[in-house]
Amino acid sequence: MSVHTSNAYGRITVTEDSIAQVAADVALDCYGIVDLVSKTFSDNLSDLFRRKRLSRGVNVFTNGDRIFIDLYVIIKYGLSIEAVAQSLKKAVKYRVEHFSGMVVDTINVHVVGIKV
């Protein structure tokens, strides 16, 4: 599925895969985030055989012109989970809204593990 918008220059379509890749790139650049991981074991197995591994651990849902993002992350040991999650939410929201021109409604951060 994709998100559509129109402006004076015409119609713009942004796919969920491209939004997921941008969100994954931003997440991996955030301080305290070690890695993105898939939600389930079967998703991990399918990631081994897929070419698009950059967007693993990111689920994007769209409803109209609203974007909903779920991030599954591993956080560095010794850091405040709340502080890292809030920083991650702000960075992803800013970059995805700037990239797509759409409104990011919700970003959910799921901490799957902690790495030493």
Side-chain angles (χ1 to χ4, degrees):
M1 189 155 193
S2 56
V3 182
H4 307 286
T5 188
S6 297
N7 62 17
Y9 300 112
R11 185 180 170 119
I12 300 170
T13 303
V14 181
T15 64
E16 289 179 352
D17 288 338
S18 62
I19 294 170
Q21 287 179 353
V22 169
D25 186 42
V26 172
L28 291 174
D29 285 342
C30 282
Y31 177 74
I33 302 298
V34 176
D35 199 7
L36 295 168
V37 294
S38 297
K39 185 167 105 171
T40 62
F41 181 71
S42 62
D43 290 341
N44 281 331
L45 286 177
S46 66
D47 279 344
L48 292 174
F49 301 107
R50 274 197 297 180
R51 287 184 163 202
K52 305 182 282 187
R53 297 191 64 203
L54 178 63
S55 62
R56 76 167 186 255
V58 180
N59 291 334
V60 176
F61 307 102
T62 57
N63 186 6
D65 63 345
R66 300 280 184 181
I67 301 171
F68 303 90
I69 301 173
D70 286 329
L71 299 167
Y72 297 88
V73 298
I74 296 177
I75 292 182
K76 186 176 179 182
Y77 177 77
L79 299 178
S80 169
I81 294 173
E82 182 181 1
V84 172
Q86 291 301 324
S87 172
L88 177 61
K89 284 182 179 184
K90 286 180 184 177
V92 169
K93 181 176 173 70
Y94 174 76
R95 188 80 60 92
V96 169
E97 284 182 348
H98 186 348
F99 166 74
S100 67
M102 319 301 178
V103 176
V104 175
D105 193 286
T106 305
I107 299 175
N108 297 315
V109 177
H110 304 273
V111 179
V112 177
I114 297 174
K115 191 165 188 173
V116 178

